[in-house]
Amino acid sequence: MASSSRGVEDHRRKWDRGQYERLAAERLQEELDSLDRANQKQPPVKRELLKQRDYRVDLESRLGKSIVITKNTPSSQTGGYYCNVCDCVVKDSINFLDHINGKKHQQNLGMSMRIERSSLDQVKRRFESNKRKMEDKKKDYDLELRMKELKEEEEKMKEYRREKKKEKKRRYEEPDEEEEGKQQSELAAIMGFSGFGGSKKK
């Protein structure tokens, strides 16, 4: 028996445990080194300070319109308010305004949620510009008020002149009572009547 002379053969594969531990440690070290390199290469993200929108948010253009929605309809065409920056659809206007003013949307735009601190000079300039605007508005209002008063006065004068003309016309068209009485008596004399009235003369 040849098999017994050689000894018991084991058909299982043998693993060198020390070698695989060394390979795992090397791989782990490489991963840590690549993470360190990636962190060193990328400087911290510098985001823009939060600023005021320079456009008007359109909330009313699609109100009251019907849209047929199928499986192939893009998300921007479906019902609700579509945000092209975040590629999402919000179902009502209040939540849409909350979304576009929110942190996630502002970060996708490249802004932080911090605002620029104003200096004393900037605040003074803003006060001066607001004061000038108020004065200009007051001047415009005074001018408008004056123009309105002038128009009202002109209308009153026109009305007064119209009334004068009407009164003059009435006077011209309606003869006086004395002239009317003379005309009636002359007519009655021509026709041979003593008068047109029903009253008896004594």
Side-chain angles (χ1 to χ4, degrees):
M1 303 208 163
S3 63
S4 59
S5 63
R6 285 190 209 160
V8 179
E9 282 189 29
D10 192 5
H11 296 293
R12 291 184 182 174
R13 190 170 176 186
K14 303 287 188 235
W15 301 99
D16 187 3
R17 194 172 185 147
Q19 180 187 1
Y20 285 104
E21 284 178 356
R22 186 172 39 80
L23 288 172
E26 286 175 7
R27 191 183 74 226
L28 187 63
Q29 188 61 38
E30 285 176 11
E31 287 176 2
L32 289 173
D33 290 344
S34 65
L35 282 174
D36 287 342
R37 276 184 261 133
N39 289 339
Q40 288 174 359
K41 283 180 185 175
Q42 296 175 352
V45 178
K46 180 77 175 171
R47 293 189 180 274
E48 210 177 322
L49 292 173
L50 196 63
K51 59 184 176 185
Q52 187 176 3
R53 267 191 298 275
D54 55 354
Y55 61 92
R56 187 175 175 274
V57 179
D58 181 28
L59 298 175
E60 299 171 353
S61 66
R62 294 172 65 185
L63 284 179
K65 293 185 180 176
S66 300
I67 302 171
V68 177
I69 300 172
T70 63
K71 291 179 183 177
N72 299 330
T73 305
S75 59
S76 62
Q77 301 290 320
T78 59
Y81 298 93
Y82 177 71
C83 175
N84 55 358
V85 176
C86 304
D87 191 32
C88 65
V89 177
V90 184
K91 293 297 178 188
D92 60 12
S93 59
I94 295 172
N95 287 336
F96 181 68
L97 288 172
D98 287 343
H99 168 74
I100 62 175
N101 292 329
K103 187 174 183 179
K104 181 184 172 190
H105 181 82
Q106 297 299 330
Q107 284 179 346
N108 287 343
L109 284 173
M111 290 191 222
S112 66
M113 294 302 283
R114 294 194 176 105
I115 57 171
E116 182 184 359
R117 288 187 59 90
S118 300
S119 66
L120 182 63
D121 293 333
Q122 288 174 328
V123 173
K124 285 180 180 177
R125 282 196 298 268
R126 178 57 66 92
F127 274 128
E128 287 171 9
S129 67
N130 287 345
K131 191 175 180 182
R132 267 183 268 144
K133 282 180 188 174
M134 289 295 287
E135 288 172 357
D136 292 343
K137 192 174 181 182
K138 190 175 180 183
K139 285 178 186 175
D140 290 345
Y141 177 72
D142 290 344
L143 181 64
E144 288 175 13
L145 185 65
R146 184 68 183 140
M147 292 297 289
K148 192 175 179 181
E149 287 173 359
L150 286 172
K151 275 189 177 181
E152 287 175 2
E153 286 177 20
E154 283 179 18
E155 288 294 324
K156 286 178 185 176
M157 287 298 290
K158 284 180 184 177
E159 190 65 33
Y160 177 72
R161 287 178 190 147
R162 277 189 220 123
E163 289 296 325
K164 281 278 216 179
K165 282 183 182 179
K166 284 181 184 177
E167 196 174 318
K168 207 174 196 183
K169 196 173 183 181
R170 266 190 249 124
R171 282 185 193 164
Y172 181 73
E173 289 178 354
E174 295 176 5
D176 292 340
E177 291 178 7
E178 294 175 8
E179 290 179 15
E180 194 175 319
K182 286 180 185 177
Q183 286 176 356
Q184 281 185 359
S185 61
E186 287 174 9
L187 186 61
I190 292 171
M191 296 182 79
F193 299 121
S194 60
F196 289 110
S199 58
K200 294 181 180 178
K201 290 186 178 178
K202 293 181 180 177

